[in-house]
Amino acid sequence: MMPSRRLVVTMAIVMTTTLGAYFVFIRHPPVDVLLEQNMRAARERRILARQVLHENNPAKVDSDDPAYLSREHWEGWVAANKLVSIGDIYDRCDGKGKIMTGKAIMLADEENRGIKARIYINITWDHDIEEGEVNLDVKYAGNDLYNNHFDLCQLDAKEDVRMIICPLREGPSFWKKDLKIPNFLPKGRYQTKAWITDQDSKIVLCGYSDFTI
């Protein structure tokens, strides 16, 4: 039995609408284009940050200030390795003098034919962290999209290679972790803030990311 003309037209409209929505909202640019876009945006943010720093306190721009030196160290590492920075990680969220302890990088995800994030953290804990919480806020196109909190010690308990094993002992710690960026996410600008608190609810790590897909 041949389908009716009305059914065929209806199916065509549905398929066209679906494909149109895919191309408008979901289909991302090629990986190399995404990487270039985010590298250019990171460069502009870095220039702006330097201008603000110079305007607020020009005497310390080239000083031995630990906060300044930590930023210069990580930014130099990113530039030397030609990486695409999409985020910064600090020893706390607020206040002057916070020390940069890591970076979030965007790179090609060859396995899934897309992109992924990789975080690098090099920090020295000043006390043992027996337990804690991870908090996450995500914005899409400037609007609140998602927020949640998780048990720090169980964050990656189900993964083959764990990054966090409690207790986190006082002293130096280095983390490197790949995070998937799903291909089905709508294209556009994403901004995230994530922070870790310890058993006394003190913030011990804080990261920000800003990227476009």
Side-chain angles (χ1 to χ4, degrees), residues 83-201:
L83 300 174
V84 180
S85 172
I86 59 170
D88 303 327
I89 303 167
Y90 299 91
D91 62 347
R92 58 184 184 274
C93 293
D94 301 315
K96 293 182 179 179
K98 59 186 180 182
I99 304 299
M100 185 178 289
T101 60
K103 275 286 189 179
I105 304 299
M106 178 183 285
L107 64 163
D109 183 352
E110 296 180 359
E111 180 180 353
N112 297 301
R113 297 183 179 181
I115 53 173
K116 61 182 177 181
R118 177 175 292 165
I119 60 171
Y120 294 88
I121 301 174
N122 192 351
I123 190 170
T124 299
W125 307 115
D126 61 9
H127 63 286
D128 289 349
I129 301 174
E130 303 289 343
E131 60 182 5
E133 196 169 73
V134 178
N135 300 271
L136 176 64
D137 285 342
V138 181
K139 292 183 180 293
Y140 170 67
N143 300 307
D144 292 336
L145 176 65
Y146 176 80
N147 65 81
N148 209 337
H149 58 91
F150 311 91
D151 185 327
L152 170 66
C153 300
Q154 297 298 315
L155 186 64
D156 57 358
K158 296 182 179 180
E159 298 190 21
D160 295 334
V161 179
R162 298 191 62 182
M163 184 174 72
I164 300 173
I165 301 177
C166 293
L168 303 176
R169 294 301 186 189
E170 178 181 353
S173 182
F174 176 76
W175 293 349
K176 174 184 174 182
K177 184 75 171 180
D178 283 0
L179 303 172
K180 295 179 180 178
I181 299 179
N183 292 331
F184 58 77
L185 287 180
K187 61 184 179 181
R189 184 183 183 186
Y190 292 81
Q191 295 167 289
T192 72
K193 176 183 177 181
W195 64 100
I196 294 177
T197 56
D198 65 6
Q199 59 269 14
D200 298 317
S201 298

Side-chain angles (χ1 to χ4, degrees), residues 20-38:
Y22 168 75
F23 280 100
V24 171
F25 297 109
I26 297 179
R27 187 171 185 267
H28 305 137
V31 170
D32 58 339
V33 174
L34 281 176
L35 293 175
E36 176 59 30
Q37 288 176 348
N38 283 278

Side-chain angles (χ1 to χ4, degrees), residues 11-113:
M11 291 176 61
I13 292 173
V14 170
M15 292 176 63
T16 301
T17 303
T18 301
L19 285 172
Y22 168 75
F23 280 100
V24 171
F25 297 109
I26 297 179
R27 187 171 185 267
H28 305 137
V31 170
D32 58 339
V33 174
L34 281 176
L35 293 175
E36 176 59 30
Q37 288 176 348
N38 283 278
M39 178 174 282
R40 186 166 57 249
R43 188 182 303 117
E44 293 171 355
R45 288 194 299 269
R46 185 165 62 251
I47 293 173
L48 178 61
R50 282 177 175 271
Q51 292 174 344
V52 171
L53 179 63
H54 183 79
E55 291 170 359
N56 291 343
N57 200 351
K60 286 192 174 182
V61 170
D62 296 316
S63 72
D64 292 330
D65 177 60
Y68 172 77
L69 291 177
S70 67
R71 174 178 287 276
E72 287 297 291
H73 166 77
W74 282 102
E75 295 292 1
W77 174 76
V78 166
N81 290 279
K82 300 180 180 179
L83 300 174
V84 180
S85 172
I86 59 170
D88 303 327
I89 303 167
Y90 299 91
D91 62 347
R92 58 184 184 274
C93 293
D94 301 315
K96 293 182 179 179
K98 59 186 180 182
I99 304 299
M100 185 178 289
T101 60
K103 275 286 189 179
I105 304 299
M106 178 183 285
L107 64 163
D109 183 352
E110 296 180 359
E111 180 180 353
N112 297 301
R113 297 183 179 181

